Amino acid sequence: MPIYEYQCQDCQEKFELLVLSSSKADDVECPRCHSRNVRRMISLFGRVNSGGSSSSVSSSCPSYTGSG
Ligand SMILES: [Zn+2]
C-alpha cells in the first residue's frame, strides 16, 4: 500500500499517511496544527530488508506400503 510521508511546514511535524488515491495525496492537512501547508517527502519505498532467509521445502513422495 502506498504510504507517503509528509512534513508540515508550519510546525515541522512529520507524519505518515496512507494515500489510496493519488488525487488525495495533495489534499492533506497536518494532524497536529491542521495546516494545509504540508510537503510530501520521499516515499518509503525501497526499504532495505535485512537478513535473507531462504528455506526450500523438500517434498518426498509418499511410499505406499501394502500388499497388492
Ligand atoms: Zn503542522
Side-chain angles (χ1 to χ4, degrees):
M1 289 183 283
I3 298 177
Y4 295 101
E5 187 175 3
Y6 295 88
Q7 184 177 17
C8 181
Q9 301 300 304
D10 292 344
C11 65
Q12 306 300 322
E13 174 71 11
K14 291 182 180 179
F15 58 94
E16 298 176 0
L17 194 69
L18 173 63
V19 180
L20 299 177
S21 181
S22 61
S23 61
K24 295 193 66 174
D26 297 331
D27 187 15
V28 176
E29 67 177 12
C30 177
R32 188 175 181 180
C33 65
H34 298 281
S35 177
R36 300 293 291 272
N37 190 12
V38 295
R39 177 181 293 180
R40 192 199 305 178
M41 300 182 69
I42 304 173
S43 61
L44 299 177
F45 285 106
R47 186 175 292 178
V48 179
N49 188 7
S50 60
S53 61
S54 60
S55 60
S56 61
V57 179
S58 61
S59 61
S60 60
C61 296
S63 61
Y64 288 93
T65 55
S67 59

